[in-house]
Amino acid sequence: MFKNYIKIAWRNLVKHKIFTAINIMGLSIGFGSATLIFLFINYHLSFDKFHDNVDRIYRMNTEMHRTDVSYGSSVPPGFAKVFREDFAYAEQVAKIVDRNGMILNVEQNGSINKFKEDLFFVEEDFFKIFNYPLLDGSNNISISPPNTAVITETKALELFGTIDVVGQLFVLDNTTTIEITGVLQDLPKTTFLEGDIFISFQNLEPFFDFAAGESWGGTTSNLQCFSLLKPNQDIASIEAALIPLPEEHRPGYKNKHVYKLQTLSDIHLNADYGGLNPVFLVVFGIIGLFLIVIACINFINISTAQAFYRSKEIGIRKVLGSFKQHLFWQFLSETFLISLIAMILGIAAAIIFLPSFNTLFEIQLTLQSLLSYQFVGFLFVTLALVAFLSGSYPGILMSRIVPVLALKGKLNHNDTGGSATRKVLVVAQFVISIALIVATLVISKQIDYATKSDLGFDKESIVMLEVADELDPEQFSSLKERLKQIVGVQKVTNCLSSPGAEEHDWGTSVTYNNRSETEEFSIQVKAADEDYINTFNIPLVAGRNFFKADSITEMLVNEKFGRNVGVSNPEELLGKAIAVNRGRTKATIVGVVKDFHDRSFTDDISPIIIAPNTDWYSEIAVKINHLNTKETLEQINKEWSNTFSDNIFEYRFLDDRVAEMYETEQRYLSLSKAFSTLAIFIGCLGLYGLILFFVTQRTKEIGIRKVLGSNLSSILTLFSIDFLKLILIAGVVATPITWYFMNKWLEGYTYRTEVNWWYFLFAIGIIMLITLITISYQTIKAARANPIKSLRTE
């Protein structure tokens, strides 16, 4: 019987090929989009779930309680030893420290090749916690002796041109010779680690002595600590046992630490600790659902309208003995067949666009993901739901048609679903489309606001050069002076980091005006020379710049610092004593600079001090003339190479670095634009199908109106007015809902734009324009027909 249903369904689909094509196109877009979104969500949910004992692996994090609570995916360097030796909760505990941009010298065929690599220093137990196998499949990894390392297969090929590299040597940062003791299989893409080189922790001290030590004075985001807990541990009890540690090991600190355990599966999807905000996955899921719903609405609208013209067919079938359930399943078979074809086309489209999707989000979804049982299950569940939800309502309506009325041609549109139902569904379509357009406008406006607003400093035509760790103060000063002599270079400053970058953060405690206790808040230290504020064009609001000096005796603070210590007039800060870093560095405030955004717009401006400290400089900022960029960079490269003959010249423009803070939003904006366009396109397909039916139904009416003297514009107005009313109703419904949710999204930004009223007018106007264009084609075609021919129709 099912075979007969399919045969009849296929004949009907071919017979009504225009409407079949419209339904298939709309559903295929929905299936294709849903496929990409499912793969994207599944990719992020599968992070780090491939490890053995994944439910027992935890990262140790720190909540820092001051005037507010902040979260760090790290613990003090001394924590691991204490947790390993003083508590009996874990089988293994290991620290891992990442270091970026380190130089590797590799000898090949008698020549030295230089590579700039990001790598990890790891303790021996790290590979007992995480099961990253060697090429032979074993886990016999040992890098406990100093000067040893393991690398991945891909990195071995890149560095040495072969995977047979056990026993090979490379020189780390021109100082330390490292032997490769093992080659790892390439790390899965769904892992929190983004590295290919793992070096013995015992080699860390020359490159990062703080992280290599056992201090409890602070944390660094470069260090992470992991533990493999013993079975059946109670996490709440462990966290309670860790509460006394700060008082025991760091008494007197105003920055109160609370140590927390985080599951491995939570690392990737916890925004508090630097992971992806899971709200994005929810939004993606909702968008995918919207596209499927819009396609289903199209199907229902067209099918119920089409039912009026298939009424005689239904009447004949009933007269010949078909029961209601036969007609219902017949129509459901047609829906299933359309949905199946659409699903196949949608998956094909998803495969075609998969490389572009991967490029946009910098991920690596593969075709193998399409063969997983989760994806197959998702497809068949979605297919069944779409077919049932789209086909059941029209199927019920058709099965209820009275055969006598159908054969006599006395049915009206209320007998096949009524216009009210179709209007509700069309309004729902418009509501979704308006919401997506407004969301796109708001996201775009916020990104423009963040990247194009005055950040309080100059970011244009400034080149950031990251210097080698071994550069001493005299070399710093000499290189700076040589760079200043280059034609095209306007200003140069040596510094720890640029004003608007979260890289190389140095947060520490501060004591103001010889108060008895440190302040409740921490400050950000911008170590820099006397040319810092001039190079970045940071204005002074009080006092003067500090003089050139080899030691810290004078400092600048920002306006936010003054507000935090209770001083509203910047002039009152001048001459006051200030001590940072637990009182180890003391100086006098000689100037106050205007506030500038040192972080993204999601965060508030930090209290900041600027002071010279040559031991902390890690970058050189060069302001250049944008008219001679290429020539100037070539000269900078030449001077750089004269100083760093053993290093690789790399640079980044500051405006690009600032823009990188909003990369995630940029990607979601691109996707929002794409999905908004698809939603509107699907809606237009449905409108086209509905209008085609309505125009065909009213062909005789158009002919009569033309005979009675109606012109083209009046006929067009007649057909347009009902749809324009529906769009206005959709606008009224969509406006408060979208306004609420977009304002909730903007609350994630400390500095944000607003949801303007004209966004909704613009979205409604766009939908109206597209609807009018869609209506006009069929209406004008019918209105231009010979009225005599029209009056013979029906």
Side-chain angles (χ1 to χ4, degrees):
M1 182 177 290
F2 179 74
K3 186 176 180 181
N4 291 332
Y5 283 145
I6 294 298
K7 285 183 178 179
I8 297 172
W10 178 254
R11 287 200 298 269
N12 285 327
L13 298 186
V14 173
K15 180 179 179 182
H16 305 282
K17 54 182 177 295
I18 295 178
F19 307 108
T20 299
I22 291 173
N23 284 328
I24 288 176
M25 191 178 299
L27 286 174
S28 63
I29 293 173
F31 272 110
S33 302
T35 296
L36 289 175
I37 291 174
F38 173 85
L39 293 177
F40 180 81
I41 293 175
N42 186 66
Y43 172 83
H44 286 287
L45 293 178
S46 63
F47 260 69
D48 291 305
K49 292 188 176 180
F50 57 86
H51 295 287
D52 296 337
N53 303 311
V54 65
D55 58 329
R56 293 196 286 128
I57 300 176
Y58 287 80
R59 184 172 68 181
M60 324 305 284
N61 295 333
T62 303
E63 286 184 4
M64 290 158 281
H65 295 246
R66 283 184 176 270
T67 52
D68 54 9
V69 179
S70 56
Y71 304 89
S73 56
S74 181
V75 286
F79 178 92
K81 181 179 180 181
V82 171
F83 190 70
R84 183 188 299 116
E85 296 178 357
D86 296 357
F87 297 92
Y89 300 120
E91 292 181 4
Q92 277 94 27
V93 180
K95 290 184 288 186
I96 174 172
V97 176
D98 65 272
R99 299 300 288 165
N100 297 332
M102 301 197 76
I103 301 298
L104 272 60
N105 293 334
V106 178
E107 183 177 354
Q108 283 190 41
N109 301 322
S111 62
I112 302 296
N113 296 324
K114 297 182 180 299
F115 301 89
K116 199 167 188 179
E117 299 291 340
D118 301 336
L119 48 82
F120 293 101
F121 293 87
V122 298
E123 291 187 321
E124 181 181 10
D125 285 347
F126 178 82
F127 289 108
K128 297 177 182 177
I129 297 173
F130 296 95
N131 54 302
Y132 295 123
L134 295 168
L135 282 182
D136 60 10
S138 71
N139 195 243
N140 301 321
I141 302 168
S142 176
I143 54 171
S144 54
N147 305 327
T148 57
V150 293
I151 66 177
T152 62
E153 179 181 0
T154 296
K155 187 56 64 176
L157 287 169
E158 180 183 335
L159 298 180
F160 296 94
T162 177
I163 61 173
D164 185 17
V165 296
V166 174
Q168 295 273 22
L169 306 175
F170 64 83
V171 179
L172 178 63
D173 256 26
N174 306 306
T175 59
T176 307
T177 300
I178 304 293
E179 180 184 358
I180 298 174
T181 57
V183 179
L184 297 170
Q185 296 179 19
D186 286 338
L187 273 57
K189 302 305 178 184
T190 52
T191 178
F192 74 98
L193 287 175
E194 295 183 1
D196 297 287
I197 303 173
F198 301 86
I199 299 175
S200 170
F201 198 84
Q202 296 190 49
N203 287 106
L204 175 61
E205 185 174 3
F207 307 104
F208 199 170
D209 58 347
F210 172 75
E214 299 295 337
S215 168
W216 284 78
T219 64
T220 170
S221 59
N222 299 96
L223 182 150
Q224 296 182 78
C225 178
F226 294 91
S227 64
L228 176 63
L229 299 184
K230 295 177 181 178
N232 305 316
Q233 296 293 315
D234 181 63
I235 303 305
S237 299
I238 297 176
E239 291 178 341
L242 299 177
I243 291 176
L245 290 184
E247 188 62 33
E248 180 180 347
H249 294 279
R250 40 182 290 121
Y253 279 83
K254 286 294 184 69
N255 183 3
K256 301 299 183 183
H257 282 187
V258 178
Y259 303 119
K260 296 289 185 178
L261 278 68
Q262 182 184 21
T263 61
L264 195 63
S265 58
D266 186 59
I267 290 176
H268 185 66
L269 292 174
N270 191 321
D272 287 339
Y273 293 100
L276 178 72
N277 192 333
V279 171
F280 285 126
L281 299 186
V282 174
V283 170
F284 269 21
I286 292 174
I287 290 175
L289 178 64
F290 278 173
L291 293 175
I292 289 287
V293 168
I294 291 176
C296 290
I297 290 173
N298 276 354
F299 192 100
I300 293 171
N301 276 336
I302 293 175
S303 298
T304 53
Q306 193 180 9
F308 179 82
Y309 299 99
R310 295 182 61 180
S311 58
K312 288 186 179 181
E313 171 196 342
I314 302 302
I316 293 172
R317 288 183 182 276
K318 280 197 168 187
V319 169
L320 294 177
S322 292
F323 294 104
K324 286 184 177 180
Q325 61 268 29
H326 294 152
L327 295 171
F328 174 80
W329 286 109
Q330 178 58 56
F331 194 81
L332 208 61
S333 298
E334 293 180 19
T335 309
F336 175 80
L337 195 55
I338 288 176
S339 301
L340 181 62
I341 295 171
M343 184 186 75
I344 295 171
L345 293 176
I347 294 173
I351 292 173
I352 292 172
F353 287 101
L354 192 59
S356 300
F357 194 81
N358 285 335
T359 301
L360 174 63
F361 287 97
E362 294 184 354
I363 57 179
Q364 293 187 354
L365 302 179
T366 64
L367 296 181
Q368 291 180 345
S369 305
L370 300 176
L371 303 178
S372 66
Y373 69 89
Q374 297 100 325
F375 178 67
V376 174
F378 163 78
L379 276 184
F380 281 103
V381 169
T382 305
L383 175 63
L385 287 174
V386 168
F388 181 76
L389 294 176
S390 300
S392 57
Y393 177 65
I396 291 171
L397 290 178
M398 283 194 171
S399 66
R400 288 178 177 175
I401 289 176
V402 178
V404 175
L405 295 177
L407 294 174
K408 289 183 177 182
K410 293 185 178 181
L411 286 178
N412 57 45
H413 280 276
N414 289 326
D415 296 317
T416 57
S419 61
T421 303
R422 282 190 286 274
K423 287 178 180 179
V424 170
L425 294 176
V426 169
V427 167
Q429 271 187 328
F430 287 147
V431 167
I432 294 173
S433 297
I434 291 170
L436 287 174
I437 292 172
V438 172
T440 301
L441 290 173
V442 172
I443 295 171
S444 178
K445 184 67 174 178
Q446 177 60 30
I447 294 175
D448 283 344
Y449 178 71
T451 55
K452 297 180 181 178
S453 295
D454 181 10
L455 302 179
F457 62 90
D458 185 6
K459 59 182 174 61
E460 301 300 327
S461 300
I462 293 182
V463 179
M464 302 303 302
L465 310 175
E466 189 164 350
V467 299
D469 293 336
E470 69 269 16
L471 193 67
D472 60 42
E474 290 186 4
Q475 287 178 306
F476 247 122
S477 179
S478 174
L479 177 59
K480 174 184 174 181
E481 292 303 318
R482 295 200 306 274
L483 291 175
K484 289 169 66 174
Q485 303 305 314
I486 297 174
V487 176
V489 170
Q490 298 174 342
K491 299 173 185 177
V492 184
T493 183
N494 297 329
C495 57
L496 172 64
S497 65
S498 59
E502 299 179 14
E503 301 175 5
H504 308 302
D505 273 0
W506 178 12
T508 186
S509 59
V510 60
T511 303
Y512 170 71
N513 199 25
N514 298 315
R515 291 176 179 175
S516 57
E517 294 184 350
T518 59
E519 301 298 324
E520 293 291 335
F521 61 91
S522 64
I523 59 168
Q524 286 295 318
V525 178
K526 297 292 184 181
D529 65 20
E530 70 280 1
D531 291 317
Y532 189 79
I533 63 173
N534 292 327
T535 301
F536 294 107
N537 197 24
I538 302 172
L540 280 164
V541 296
R544 60 170 175 82
N545 191 11
F546 53 76
F547 295 122
K548 182 177 181 179
D550 295 329
S551 60
I552 301 177
T553 58
E554 299 176 333
M555 289 185 181
L556 305 177
V557 299
N558 66 344
E559 296 171 297
K560 180 62 180 294
F561 176 88
R563 292 194 296 273
N564 278 21
V565 297
V567 177
S568 58
N569 184 1
E571 296 287 346
E572 296 179 15
L573 294 170
L574 302 179
K576 299 297 191 297
I578 186 172
V580 300
N581 199 19
R582 297 286 289 175
R584 294 195 266 293
T585 303
K586 298 179 180 180
T588 302
I589 299 174
V590 297
V592 181
V593 298
K594 189 176 180 62
D595 283 339
F596 56 84
H597 289 276
D598 62 314
R599 297 176 181 273
S600 74
F601 275 31
T602 57
D603 300 314
D604 197 2
I605 292 173
S606 306
I608 290 171
I609 68 168
I610 305 172
N613 187 335
T614 56
D615 292 335
W616 278 84
Y617 296 162
S618 60
E619 292 187 317
I620 300 177
V622 184
K623 173 74 173 178
I624 65 174
N625 188 331
H626 70 278
L627 298 177
N628 301 297
T629 300
K630 183 179 179 181
E631 295 81 357
T632 304
L633 288 175
E634 289 175 352
Q635 290 300 314
I636 292 174
N637 184 9
K638 182 179 179 180
E639 291 297 339
W640 176 274
S641 300
N642 290 336
T643 303
F644 300 109
S645 58
D646 294 328
N647 287 288
I648 300 171
F649 175 71
E650 289 185 346
Y651 63 88
R652 294 170 67 191
F653 281 97
L654 180 56
D655 53 355
D656 291 336
R657 177 183 287 184
V658 171
E660 284 177 4
M661 292 192 290
Y662 302 95
E663 276 188 347
T664 300
E665 286 87 348
Q666 289 282 10
R667 289 168 185 161
Y668 291 111
L669 173 61
S670 298
L671 200 68
S672 178
K673 290 178 179 177
F675 284 148
S676 297
T677 303
L678 289 177
I680 294 170
F681 180 72
I682 295 173
C684 289
L685 287 175
L687 281 175
Y688 180 82
L690 280 176
I691 292 163
L692 182 58
F693 274 117
F694 293 157
V695 170
T696 303
Q697 174 200 355
R698 302 173 72 174
T699 300
K700 183 179 290 186
E701 178 186 345
I702 293 173
I704 293 173
R705 288 182 179 276
K706 287 197 70 176
V707 169
L708 295 177
S710 294
N711 57 26
L712 182 62
S713 60
S714 63
I715 295 174
L716 185 60
T717 302
L718 173 70
F719 279 83
S720 302
I721 194 69
D722 288 340
F723 282 100
L724 296 181
K725 288 179 181 177
L726 295 180
I727 294 173
L728 290 176
I729 294 171
V732 171
V733 174
T735 296
I737 298 173
T738 311
W739 184 90
Y740 172 79
F741 282 106
M742 293 317 299
N743 271 290
K744 293 292 288 183
W745 180 76
L746 286 173
E747 286 177 3
Y749 293 85
T750 304
Y751 303 93
R752 54 183 178 264
T753 184
E754 297 179 349
V755 182
N756 293 319
W757 58 268
W758 66 264
Y759 294 169
F760 298 94
L761 291 184
F762 178 80
I764 293 170
I766 288 292
I767 297 297
M768 282 186 172
L769 178 63
I770 294 173
T771 301
L772 286 173
I773 293 173
T774 307
I775 291 173
S776 299
Y777 174 73
Q778 284 298 332
T779 306
I780 293 173
K781 181 181 177 181
R784 285 182 172 177
N786 188 333
I788 297 175
K789 184 178 179 180
S790 300
L791 292 173
R792 288 176 179 172
T793 306
E794 301 179 3

